[in-house]
Amino acid sequence: MVNMLTPLRRGMGGKQLFVALACSSLLLCSLMVLFNKKDFTSAGTQRENLVKQASLPQAVVPVSSRVVPPAEVVTSAVALEQQQTGIDPLKPLVGTGAPNINDQVLAGVSSDQEIVAPADQPAPSPSYNQPVDHQPAASASPVDQPAAASAATDQPTVAAALDQSAASSANQLDGTHGTSGGHGESITTTLPAAAEALIQKLRAVTLQANGGEPVESLSESERNSWHQKNPCISRQKLPLRYAARKFEKHVDASPAWDAVLHEYEILHQTCTTKVQDISLYFLERNTSIAGCNYLVCDAVVPSGLGNKILITASCLVYAVLTQRVLLLPSTNTLADIVCEPFEGSSWKVNEGSIGFLVPSAFWLSTEQFLSEVDSSVGSHKGAIQDQATAVHATDVTVGGEWRFQPHNRFFCSTEQKFLRNVTWVHLVGNQHFLPKLFVIPSFRTMLESLFPSRMVLTDVIRHSMLPVDSVWQQVDQVHEMQPDRADQHLGVQIHYTEGHLQYETLHPLWEMRIKQCALDNGMLPQHRQPTRDLTSLQFTNTNSESDPDIQSIDSAASAVNHTTTVFITSPYDTFERSLRSDYMQEPPANGEHVTVVQLNKRHDQYFFSREEDEQALVEIILLSLSDNIIVTPGSTLGSVAHAYGALQPWVIATQVVEGQQASCFKGQTVDACYHIPEKYLSCPHDLEFSGSSVHELVPYITDCLPGEHLHGIQLITL
């Protein structure tokens, strides 16, 4: 600009000056246009590539409902520039000390920014898979497979991202949130009133916990540091695997639950940060930080991994509904094999330092708490005595039986009202008590708003119980060894609850029924007698000499029309060997191809071993990736597997009944069975509910099928 004014100081005439200024302005404008075009085009292309790599949803995903300054959106553009490094965002930067690039991008997006994926890509991240009849993928509706041509016109630039953020921020003023629309378009809908009310409760409690001051968002460096310390490859990759299944119809996850969980993350971070030393805070009976209440959730010892997942999922839902910070003690090894679920904080706590093993010294027992409630109601007090800062709310025995689960009165409105004033609540158990939370009227309204499909367990575990990298690497290794051309995946889970004696007695019957179930329901191809020399068939050990535990058999490989992979989990290998033998000696007449895979064949279960839990989680995830799953009735591992996969299972008919014809039966829901609930409420201070059955109060809770469990209940999912 100084050079442009120099001629004027030298006495240049007006005409010459006008021409000079016009030329200079034209040149400057041209340079700006070229620069902006390059900048925005580059960012748009990078964003398109990033979204494809991360397989984000097809349309708009509301990352959160919190208003965050638009400046954070700029960091997303900076993060996008890092894609020029050529680093695969789906792979962690192991050993480099650098954070996962994909985590940087996701963390850098404003909590109000809406992320748009190409219209020609599937929407795995917020989608769960609903069982449907066996139809080829080509039969999907055009709505489910939008034309690729629309993708070119639907990609946002950085400027569009800023506009989206501003619009989303404005939406918060009237309680609306971004949701997905067809073909890459975004629409705005309002969350259900009950979900909005829960979000407002979480915000109010967080504000109170922070001393009345607004909570500042994590900085980009803080987010990157947290993700570097807590890597989680499965957060990006597991949704891709579920989306790749060819015989499942995608259904959207709950946007309301996603929005609520984001607010809960902020509360969790605030209360764990404010307290710092949680153990000391507990031991001192400190209640100085108003708004910070805690739920300590542990699995009874011994418990298998399925039980640990079910009790923890139930605790998490309760913690969110009551605005409590969920903590898992060190004895709950689940925290060691799943990713940290809440950005910026941890749910792990050292059990020994808090003294959970001596509840009489630190916790008010369940009986003492209920006695305090009775006295307070009788004297018309609004709360129980001050010493009840910590309550152990577990009922250990019911009718002389060991039943580690919340006491029956835990599900009464009056008792829940008194628990609001208790800083610490302790639950220990091994039961899936989540369905019974629906009987509490105030909870039921919120749960129905958050989970209209009632797939609560699937929503919770897919978001908050993702396998850590060491587990995911094992899942990935097994999955990569399976044929890329596999059209259909069948999971078979066999568990002998009574051990080796039950196996020796019943395994021929069970295995015969599993085969018949799979054949009758189109999950395996029919056999035929061999018409050529068996040497023409291909037999392979997929792991060669390095791992004899993983084997596969390829039948009729030279004439493959359809490929089915069977993944088996069982402590014994007789079913694997029998199935391989069947398809070696009697290959399908139409040349279909069958692969059989089984991992460990351990006869004993070790409840105290992290290695055992890791292996169980590998098997759960691999089973959940199936198109169909056949499970053993009463097994929590099988129940958790079909919940992860959003699969309505086939259940083995294990009972020996004279004249029984059925080899299996179809489960009635995706949800797991709550095995030993008390079905009739005992609420002495809520007489309108006391004595009622859970079925009367909640019509979509029903008994588990007799073949699954005689006394259980479960949610019927839609």
Side-chain angles (χ1 to χ4, degrees):
M1 197 62 165
V2 173
N3 292 336
M4 291 169 59
L5 296 177
T6 301
L8 181 60
R9 292 197 299 266
R10 293 179 179 176
M12 178 181 287
K15 183 175 181 180
Q16 292 90 340
L17 176 60
F18 176 82
V19 173
L21 287 174
C23 293
S24 300
S25 299
L26 182 60
L27 178 61
L28 181 60
C29 290
S30 300
L31 290 173
M32 290 178 65
V33 168
L34 289 173
F35 174 80
N36 287 337
K37 181 177 181 181
K38 178 180 182 299
D39 181 51
F40 288 122
T41 301
S42 174
T45 302
Q46 293 160 5
R47 184 178 183 83
E48 176 183 351
N49 292 336
L50 170 64
V51 171
K52 287 182 178 180
Q53 290 171 342
S55 292
L56 292 173
Q58 175 183 340
V60 180
V61 179
V63 179
S64 87
S65 58
R66 182 174 49 147
V67 177
V68 177
E72 286 194 21
V73 183
V74 178
T75 63
S76 68
V78 175
L80 289 172
E81 292 294 333
Q82 298 182 39
Q83 295 302 303
Q84 294 177 345
T85 60
I87 299 173
D88 182 359
L90 297 180
K91 296 181 179 179
L93 306 183
V94 180
T96 63
N100 186 328
I101 295 296
N102 197 47
D103 285 340
Q104 291 183 29
V105 175
L106 294 177
V109 176
S110 162
S111 61
D112 288 307
Q113 182 181 354
E114 298 173 335
I115 304 175
V116 181
D120 61 340
Q121 295 295 319
S125 185
S127 299
Y128 299 152
N129 298 313
Q130 186 73 9
V132 293
D133 293 334
H134 301 297
Q135 297 294 334
S139 65
S141 167
V143 175
D144 297 327
Q145 298 179 353
S150 63
T153 61
D154 290 334
Q155 304 308 310
T157 61
V158 174
L162 291 169
D163 292 340
Q164 287 180 0
S165 177
S168 182
S169 298
N171 287 340
Q172 309 311 309
L173 300 177
D174 62 3
T176 57
H177 299 261
T179 59
S180 61
H183 302 283
E185 299 175 358
S186 63
I187 59 175
T188 300
T189 60
T190 302
L191 291 179
E196 285 288 356
L198 180 55
I199 287 174
Q200 294 306 319
K201 284 183 180 180
L202 288 164
R203 289 175 176 171
V205 172
T206 303
L207 188 67
Q208 184 183 23
N210 204 44
E213 297 294 328
V215 177
E216 294 184 4
S217 303
L218 291 174
S219 67
E220 185 70 12
S221 62
E222 289 173 329
R223 281 195 179 104
N224 290 340
S225 176
W226 187 88
H227 283 285
Q228 185 176 0
K229 293 176 182 177
N230 302 281
C232 189
I233 302 173
S234 61
R235 186 168 285 122
Q236 284 81 39
K237 287 199 170 184
L238 186 56
L240 297 176
R241 293 286 165 81
Y242 287 129
R245 297 185 294 187
K246 299 178 181 180
F247 287 82
E248 296 301 314
K249 179 181 178 182
H250 298 300
V251 295
D252 290 338
S254 167
W257 178 245
D258 288 343
V260 165
L261 267 188
H262 177 74
E263 296 299 333
Y264 180 76
E265 283 183 353
I266 303 169
L267 172 63
H268 202 282
Q269 174 202 335
T270 301
C271 286
T272 53
T273 303
K274 282 285 183 181
V275 170
Q276 295 183 346
D277 189 339
I278 293 180
S279 300
L280 182 62
Y281 188 81
F282 171 81
L283 293 172
E284 291 179 347
R285 305 273 180 146
N286 194 334
T287 58
S288 60
I289 304 178
C292 288
N293 293 326
Y294 300 87
L295 173 64
V296 180
C297 182
D298 200 1
V300 65
V301 178
S303 289
L305 182 64
N307 294 96
K308 293 174 185 177
I309 290 175
L310 292 175
I311 183 68
T312 305
S314 302
C315 285
L316 175 56
V317 173
Y318 177 72
V320 173
L321 294 178
T322 56
Q323 301 89 59
R324 289 184 176 275
V325 174
L326 178 62
L327 300 174
L328 303 187
S330 56
T331 51
N332 190 342
T333 55
L334 176 66
D336 298 323
I337 63 172
V338 299
C339 300
E340 286 281 2
F342 310 125
E343 187 180 62
S345 63
S346 174
W347 62 356
K348 298 179 185 178
V349 65
N350 187 334
E351 179 191 50
S353 62
I354 290 188
F356 298 138
L357 298 180
V358 282
S360 59
F362 294 92
W363 305 90
L364 201 66
S365 71
T366 303
E367 292 73 18
Q368 290 173 318
F369 168 71
L370 295 177
S371 178
E372 290 283 356
V373 171
D374 294 339
S375 298
S376 299
V377 172
S379 60
H380 304 288
K381 294 180 181 179
I384 57 180
Q385 299 297 320
D386 291 340
Q387 69 263 26
T389 55
V391 170
H392 179 74
T394 301
D395 194 3
V396 177
T397 60
V398 178
E401 297 182 21
W402 291 94
R403 298 187 179 187
F404 286 89
Q405 58 185 304
H407 193 280
N408 198 18
R409 287 179 61 179
F410 180 85
F411 301 97
C412 301
S413 296
T414 297
E415 281 69 13
Q416 284 300 319
K417 181 181 71 174
F418 280 94
L419 281 171
R420 292 177 196 163
N421 300 315
V422 177
T423 304
W424 292 84
V425 172
H426 183 212
L427 286 173
V428 58
N430 57 9
Q431 292 295 307
H432 174 52
F433 69 83
L434 195 159
K436 203 170 175 181
L437 293 176
F438 278 80
V439 306
I440 304 171
S442 59
F443 290 0
R444 181 162 65 250
T445 302
M446 289 187 285
L447 289 168
E448 289 175 342
S449 295
L450 294 172
F451 307 102
S453 67
R454 304 185 201 127
M455 295 176 68
V456 190
L457 183 58
T458 300
D459 258 306
V460 171
I461 60 181
R462 281 203 183 180
H463 179 280
S464 303
M465 298 180 200
L466 296 166
V468 295
D469 288 0
S470 60
V471 174
W472 178 256
Q473 287 165 3
Q474 297 178 62
V475 172
D476 206 38
Q477 178 185 14
V478 176
H479 194 274
E480 290 300 322
M481 287 190 294
Q482 300 180 30
D484 293 335
R485 62 182 180 273
D487 297 293
Q488 185 173 354
H489 295 265
L490 170 63
V492 178
Q493 184 261 336
I494 310 173
H495 179 61
Y496 299 94
T497 56
E498 299 176 20
H500 187 71
L501 180 61
Q502 186 183 36
Y503 163 75
E504 290 288 352
T505 305
L506 293 176
H507 85 84
L509 174 66
W510 286 19
E511 292 170 7
M512 178 191 70
R513 288 181 174 176
I514 294 170
K515 290 180 185 178
Q516 196 62 47
C517 177
L519 291 169
D520 290 347
N521 295 284
M523 292 178 273
L524 282 176
Q526 296 290 337
H527 303 178
R528 69 168 174 81
Q529 292 299 323
T531 58
R532 61 178 182 276
D533 192 335
L534 292 179
T535 57
S536 65
L537 301 178
Q538 178 184 356
F539 180 84
T540 56
N541 180 337
T542 56
N543 205 28
S544 187
E545 300 177 355
S546 62
D547 190 349
D549 283 332
I550 301 177
Q551 295 181 324
S552 74
I553 170 68
D554 293 341
S555 67
S558 61
V560 173
N561 296 319
H562 183 92
T563 304
T564 298
T565 295
V566 183
F567 176 72
I568 302 168
T569 66
S570 172
Y572 303 92
D573 65 353
T574 51
F575 180 67
E576 174 206 10
R577 290 187 285 107
S578 174
L579 197 62
R580 263 193 286 123
S581 176
D582 287 346
Y583 285 99
M584 278 288 292
Q585 298 179 29
E586 301 177 7
N590 60 359
E592 291 191 25
H593 184 92
V594 176
T595 298
V596 182
V597 178
Q598 180 173 349
L599 299 182
N600 296 320
K601 300 127 182 155
R602 299 177 183 173
H603 298 179
D604 300 314
Q605 186 174 13
Y606 301 96
F607 293 105
F608 301 96
S609 167
R610 169 174 171 165
E611 180 185 355
E612 182 84 5
D613 281 349
E614 280 197 359
Q615 186 57 50
L617 187 54
V618 170
E619 294 181 342
I620 285 172
I621 298 300
L622 287 169
L623 284 169
S624 77
L625 293 170
S626 305
D627 297 292
N628 288 284
I629 185 170
I630 302 174
V631 300
T632 306
S635 170
T636 54
L637 187 145
S639 297
V640 169
H642 68 68
Y644 264 108
L647 297 166
Q648 198 168 328
W650 292 92
V651 184
I652 309 167
T654 57
Q655 300 296 319
V656 181
V657 180
E658 185 176 353
Q660 177 175 316
Q661 299 297 321
S663 58
C664 64
F665 55 91
K666 191 68 179 284
Q668 59 190 349
T669 177
V670 167
D671 191 48
C673 180
Y674 178 8
H675 286 164
I676 48 175
E678 290 190 74
K679 297 182 181 180
Y680 292 88
L681 293 186
S682 175
C683 300
H685 309 299
D686 300 299
L687 296 181
E688 66 274 31
F689 305 119
S690 190
S692 299
S693 72
V694 294
H695 310 90
E696 293 174 308
L697 297 172
V698 188
Y700 46 81
I701 291 180
T702 188
D703 290 337
C704 301
L705 294 175
E708 291 185 275
H709 204 282
L710 289 176
H711 307 292
I713 60 174
Q714 59 189 169
L715 283 170
I716 299 301
T717 53
L718 299 177

